[in-house]
Amino acid sequence: MLLAQGQLALAMALVGANVAVGKLLAGSLPIPLILCLRCLLACLVLWPLARALDGPVRIGRAAALNLALQALLGTALYNAALLSGLRLTTALEAGLVLATMPAVVAIGSAAWLRERLAPRHWLAAALAAGGMAAITVARLGGATGGSAFGNALVFAGVCGEAAYVLLAKRLGGRVPVVTASFWMQAFSAAMLLPLALPGLGAMAALADPGLAGLLVFHSLTASVLCLLLWYAGLRKVPAGVAGVFTGFLPAAAALTAVLGLGERFTVTHAAGFALMGASLLLATWPGRDRG
């Protein structure tokens, strides 16, 4: 159980750390093109890996539908809604909305997957949400001019990402991890390709070795390693508990901003990380007891 929890935590930490890389790439390439190329590069790695580890890369109709929904909700909807919402609302308010993700996953796992969560898991989700809100306030305090509609769009993105977590849990064990990751990226690439085509001319910027290297790093970590870790962890951890580990995403993003971009570490940061630590202790303690 501890190994599975570590896999979930590392997956979300890598996603959060990739926020800074994504921002650098977005300065030179259109967002849909970045996402599509990321998925295509991931497929090039995952296809031979899946064949070597899992055998023929085939899935049934039900599994294909599940993975297509994950691609639609966890990649297309999440990114489109988040970016659209950020055009209307402030980064501060959007970050506070994103802080609801663990609670949304916990509620969804109980309502849809019929998972019975202990009271401490509900409290863990609440603490994680509070921790992420505190971290976001520390990073982005001072922004003004929010928008209710923009916040609603960001929350739609939260629901999309939460649905991805629940769908991945529902699929867990029915399709080998690497094969599931390959099809997830293939479906995502197919959905993003029409949006990426208008920006193909911007690919000339990839002649810069530094930018091309960032894209490769972004692809291998965000679309390969993170998926493999997340699917592997979900095999042994309930979805509602796994949702708590999404707290590592904004925590890692904040830590990257402090260490990599020189942002000031404040008391609010410390409070946020303390809440996150308490949340994870509550979420993982029962698992340790059961071994």
Side-chain angles (χ1 to χ4, degrees):
M1 181 66 76
L2 285 176
L3 175 61
Q5 292 164 352
Q7 289 168 330
L8 295 175
L10 182 56
M12 288 295 103
L14 284 172
V15 173
N18 261 290
V19 170
V21 178
K23 286 183 178 180
L24 291 174
L25 289 169
S28 302
L29 297 168
I31 295 294
L33 182 62
I34 294 170
L35 295 174
C36 188
L37 290 175
R38 190 181 85 179
C39 294
L40 289 173
L41 287 171
C43 286
L44 291 177
V45 175
L46 290 168
W47 171 263
L49 192 60
R51 286 189 64 84
L53 298 179
D54 301 337
V57 187
R58 300 191 186 98
I59 53 175
R61 181 177 299 179
L65 176 60
N66 197 97
L67 287 163
L69 286 173
Q70 286 178 244
L72 175 65
L73 299 173
T75 300
L77 174 61
Y78 171 71
N79 287 287
L82 179 61
L83 293 174
S84 298
L86 283 171
R87 290 181 177 179
L88 301 173
T89 191
T90 63
L92 170 61
E93 292 191 8
L96 292 172
V97 175
L98 286 171
T100 63
M101 192 177 296
V104 174
V105 173
I107 293 170
S109 66
W112 184 36
L113 300 183
R114 297 291 188 260
E115 290 184 352
R116 296 186 62 181
L117 301 181
R120 70 174 63 202
H121 292 150
W122 290 103
L123 180 57
L127 287 172
M132 287 189 287
I135 292 168
T136 304
V137 168
R139 289 181 61 203
L140 304 170
T144 57
S147 159
F149 182 61
N151 291 342
L153 286 172
V154 174
F155 186 71
V158 169
C159 293
E161 186 68 6
Y164 163 81
V165 172
L166 299 174
L167 286 164
K169 178 61 179 178
R170 188 177 71 169
L171 186 67
R174 291 163 48 198
V175 178
V177 170
V178 183
T179 297
S181 299
F182 165 75
W183 283 108
M184 168 72 180
Q185 291 305 304
F187 284 129
S188 296
M191 293 174 185
L192 289 163
L193 184 58
L195 301 175
L197 287 176
L200 284 179
M203 287 186 64
L206 292 174
D208 177 3
L211 188 66
L214 281 177
L215 179 61
V216 172
F217 173 83
H218 191 50
S219 301
L220 295 181
T221 53
S223 293
V224 178
L225 185 56
C226 292
L227 276 179
L228 296 179
L229 288 169
W230 188 256
Y231 273 120
L234 277 176
R235 287 186 167 187
K236 294 186 178 180
V237 176
V241 178
V244 173
F245 288 86
T246 60
F248 272 90
L249 194 162
L255 190 60
T256 302
V258 171
L259 297 179
L261 303 180
E263 294 187 7
R264 187 169 58 94
F265 190 85
T266 67
V267 174
T268 312
H269 272 117
F273 282 113
L275 288 169
M276 289 297 306
S279 169
L280 292 173
L281 281 176
L282 284 171
T284 58
W285 193 278
R288 290 173 183 163
D289 291 343
R290 289 191 299 268

